[in-house]
Amino acid sequence: MNDFFVSLISNSSVTTIITITILLINFFLAIGMIFWERKSAQSVWAWLLILFFIPIVGFILYLFLGRTIYNHKIFEIPEEDQIGLEYLVQEQLDEIRKNNFELDSDVATKHTKLIHMLLYNNQSFVTSNNHIDTFYRTPDLFKQMLEDIKNAKDHIHFQYYIFRLDNLGKEIYNALLEKQREGVSVRILYDDMGSRTLRLRNFKEIRSLGGHVEAFFPSFLSVINPRINNRNHRKIVVIDGKIGYTGGSNVGDEYVGNSKKFGYWRDTHLRIKGNAVKSLQLRFMLDWNSQRSRNKMVHETRYFPEIENVGNTTMQIATSGPDEKWQQIKFGYLKMINSAKKDIYIQSPYFIPDQSIMEALKIAILSGVNVNIMIPSFPDHPFVYWGTYHNVGELSKMGAKIFIYQKGFLHQKTMMIDNEVVSIGSTNMDNRSFALNFEVNAFIFDRKEAVKQREAFEKDAINSKLLTPEIYAERSAWIKLKEAIANLISPIL
């Protein structure tokens, strides 16, 4: 047998040896995906096609796009917080199961099954003492955020997927730098892929003053980060443990409409005062501690201060990521769709849901629920856009109302049902957000907030075109080809 391999190697060209090696690597990658990795069947088949039909390119793509997180304990809650959180969650679960769960909101009481699911899957404890300001224009959002930063007294925790040090970014960074000079503790966590132009040296001044800055899943390479998946797509700001921000907008000039490519930027972001800020604070601590072996955050009273009565909005902060057993936020979306009796409103820049979401929406349409979906009129990622166009076209033929936003780029990630429940956050309607990236969404049980979201949708609809089945049927052969390709690779987009 050994003589056979020696003869084979000596008589083969270098090209043959390389080809055999690549095919063997492809084979073992395929075995690994099938038997060890937690991928959907659709995703596995998509990768198998890529690996075996374009082996060299497929191997490189897999290194960048296909790897899975195996360490399920990258986010560890400190023991004292874990005990308190588990007690609170179990107490709320027991009260729901015994029908003794007292909430200020009749809407929350009506949707206790959704609340129970998020509690059970995600330890997303319920809070009622909250006040929400919803921002639909990002310039207004950052104006208020800068004001809150300037008024900070103790600490500022700042986490974004994209943080550009352009005009807006420098204004925010300078405000954070000034607070650090004043003795306010500042921590900045940015995603190394989303903020790929940033380096820790860009924050030399604030770090020299005692501020802390870290990159999430940083690359060991100076230019390329091979981990395109498993990015921290969350947007969280916590100020003094009393004010929190979360939603769809990142930090960069394009997000305030200062981009020739995108023009007007339409997004939705929340400013929260109340007990829900504790959830955002805990999430930031977990994300921060996952990336450092030094200067870890520990539980301190100043991070979780007592909150005065600020409002009566009931909500849960839910998070999800590839380290989790369940796709919690997707489950939340599914439960909302299945609970809807009258209306569903969805706005998303990327609409490439998996089969479960598509079937749930089709069932809703066939059941007489009024389904409304809004997407952008042009892509920032071509394949993703044409996959989106294919999916909304399919739902349009079944009776959904599809709106193509014309005023600028539509970036918010929102869902509302029956003028009762709203979900706003960082989670797009696609597999990348559901299974590959780390996300955060607020689930809000409040008629006033739900009506505000519906009215915002209706206002956006004025600046949109309706995609009817007739218009969709008239698309060109070139668009149909792009849709077909996008649909084929959609499980890995």
Side-chain angles (χ1 to χ4, degrees):
M1 183 65 70
N2 289 337
D3 292 340
F4 169 76
F5 281 109
V6 171
S7 175
L8 175 66
I9 294 172
S10 61
N11 295 325
S12 299
S13 66
V14 174
T15 303
T16 303
I17 295 172
I18 292 173
T19 301
I20 293 173
T21 302
I22 290 173
L23 290 175
L24 286 172
I25 291 173
N26 282 351
F27 173 77
F28 286 115
L29 281 177
I31 294 296
M33 281 191 296
I34 293 171
F35 291 104
W36 286 289
E37 294 197 0
R38 296 179 297 117
K39 295 182 183 295
S40 66
Q42 297 95 325
S43 180
V44 168
W45 277 112
W47 277 115
L48 289 177
L49 287 171
I50 290 172
L51 286 170
F52 286 105
F53 280 96
I54 45 173
I56 298 176
V57 176
F59 175 68
I60 295 171
L61 285 173
Y62 186 82
L63 289 178
F64 280 84
L65 294 171
R67 296 187 299 160
T68 300
I69 285 182
Y70 293 100
N71 184 3
H72 291 234
K73 296 192 179 294
I74 61 173
F75 302 111
E76 294 186 5
I77 301 176
E79 185 175 357
E80 62 271 26
D81 290 337
Q82 180 68 39
I83 294 172
L85 178 60
E86 288 179 350
Y87 176 81
L88 174 60
V89 168
Q90 191 58 52
E91 184 180 46
Q92 292 187 340
L93 283 171
D94 289 342
E95 289 177 351
I96 290 175
R97 290 164 182 165
K98 295 175 183 177
N99 294 320
N100 293 330
F101 198 46
E102 295 183 3
L103 292 166
D104 296 336
S105 166
D106 63 322
V107 172
T109 302
K110 181 178 178 180
H111 292 277
T112 51
K113 295 299 184 183
L114 172 58
I115 291 173
H116 183 283
M117 188 199 70
L118 293 174
L119 273 167
Y120 185 82
N121 286 349
N122 198 228
Q123 295 188 330
S124 178
F125 55 89
V126 190
T127 61
S128 293
N129 176 30
N130 299 292
H131 173 79
I132 296 174
D133 294 307
T134 306
F135 290 89
Y136 306 103
R137 294 186 68 257
T138 43
D140 297 336
L141 162 70
F142 289 111
K143 180 180 178 181
Q144 180 63 60
M145 187 183 293
L146 281 165
E147 184 68 23
D148 288 335
I149 288 172
K150 291 174 183 177
N151 291 329
K153 305 298 182 186
D154 184 79
H155 64 271
I156 302 169
H157 296 153
F158 193 87
Q159 174 180 344
Y160 273 93
Y161 173 64
I162 295 176
F163 184 19
R164 304 194 200 284
L165 288 178
D166 48 20
N167 294 324
L168 174 64
K170 286 180 181 177
E171 186 177 8
I172 290 176
Y173 174 69
N174 288 335
L176 294 171
L177 180 62
E178 183 59 32
K179 297 310 293 186
Q180 185 65 47
R181 287 197 183 103
E182 294 175 10
V184 174
S185 173
V186 175
R187 293 178 187 265
I188 301 172
L189 179 64
Y190 64 89
D191 185 82
D192 193 63
M193 175 61 67
S195 306
R196 52 187 169 272
T197 60
L198 286 185
R199 300 291 180 270
L200 289 179
R201 62 176 178 269
N202 296 125
F203 302 95
K204 180 172 62 175
E205 191 171 2
I206 198 169
R207 295 173 75 198
S208 69
L209 293 169
H212 301 284
V213 183
E214 289 297 328
F216 189 89
F217 277 164
S219 173
F220 295 106
L221 304 175
S222 59
V223 179
I224 300 175
N225 191 325
R227 188 187 286 274
I228 293 179
N229 289 338
N230 312 141
R231 304 317 316 180
N232 198 316
H233 195 241
R234 296 168 183 145
K235 302 98 167 78
I236 296 173
V237 176
V238 178
I239 299 171
D240 292 342
K242 298 179 179 180
I243 298 173
Y245 286 87
T246 194
S249 185
N250 291 294
V251 177
D253 285 349
E254 68 267 38
Y255 295 94
V256 289
N258 295 332
S259 166
K260 292 182 179 179
K261 177 181 178 181
F262 295 108
Y264 180 80
W265 191 275
R266 174 69 178 88
D267 223 322
T268 300
H269 216 88
L270 301 175
R271 177 182 184 264
I272 303 168
K273 294 182 70 175
N275 289 328
V277 178
K278 298 179 189 295
S279 294
L280 292 175
Q281 185 79 286
L282 179 60
R283 184 70 261 170
F284 178 88
M285 290 178 67
L286 292 173
D287 287 3
W288 178 270
N289 289 346
S290 73
Q291 299 304 298
R292 279 192 67 86
S293 58
R294 304 183 304 277
N295 294 321
K296 283 197 171 186
M297 295 181 67
V298 296
H299 182 96
E300 296 183 39
T301 303
R302 66 194 182 106
Y303 294 148
F304 301 95
E306 290 296 322
I307 303 294
E308 61 184 12
N309 292 328
V310 295
N312 57 5
T313 298
T314 301
M315 62 191 300
Q316 290 173 282
I317 302 297
T319 60
S320 65
D323 61 312
E324 301 284 353
K325 183 184 295 186
W326 294 291
Q327 297 174 12
Q328 291 93 333
I329 295 177
K330 187 191 84 170
F331 282 13
Y333 283 165
L334 271 172
K335 187 62 178 175
M336 287 178 67
I337 294 168
N338 292 331
S339 299
K341 300 295 188 294
K342 298 177 181 178
D343 304 291
I344 299 172
Y345 290 84
I346 298 172
Q347 291 177 293
S348 180
Y350 319 120
F351 189 81
I352 312 181
D354 62 11
Q355 186 176 356
S356 64
I357 296 281
M358 285 294 287
E359 289 182 348
L361 287 168
K362 290 176 181 179
I363 291 170
I365 295 167
L366 295 174
S367 301
V369 177
N370 177 30
V371 174
N372 305 270
I373 301 172
M374 188 177 294
I375 64 169
S377 60
F378 59 92
D380 62 340
H381 302 294
F383 279 119
V384 176
Y385 183 79
W386 294 114
T388 292
Y389 200 72
H390 168 82
N391 289 323
V392 296
E394 185 177 344
L395 293 176
S396 173
K397 289 186 289 185
M398 294 193 65
K401 293 180 182 177
I402 307 299
F403 299 86
I404 311 296
Y405 188 70
Q406 303 289 313
K407 187 175 179 180
F409 190 71
L410 185 92
H411 189 255
Q412 70 264 36
K413 307 93 168 51
T414 64
M415 181 185 292
M416 189 278 289
I417 63 165
D418 293 346
N419 289 334
E420 292 179 344
V421 184
V422 184
S423 180
I424 297 173
S426 66
T427 310
N428 293 305
M429 194 67 69
D430 61 11
N431 184 62
R432 181 160 298 279
S433 277
F434 292 158
L436 301 178
N437 287 344
F438 300 94
E439 307 284 359
V440 59
N441 270 46
F443 286 81
I444 305 164
F445 305 88
D446 188 283
R447 285 193 178 87
K448 182 178 69 174
E449 296 298 328
V451 169
K452 282 166 54 178
Q453 188 57 42
R454 190 204 72 220
E455 291 173 346
F457 188 105
E458 291 170 347
K459 185 177 179 180
D460 291 335
I462 297 173
N463 296 304
S464 303
K465 288 185 178 180
L466 194 64
L467 178 66
T468 64
E470 293 76 21
I471 293 174
Y472 182 69
E474 293 175 356
R475 68 198 188 283
S476 67
W478 175 233
I479 290 178
K480 291 179 181 178
L481 176 62
K482 289 190 285 188
E483 283 186 30
I485 296 172
N487 190 47
L488 182 65
I489 64 174
S490 63
I492 63 172
L493 287 176

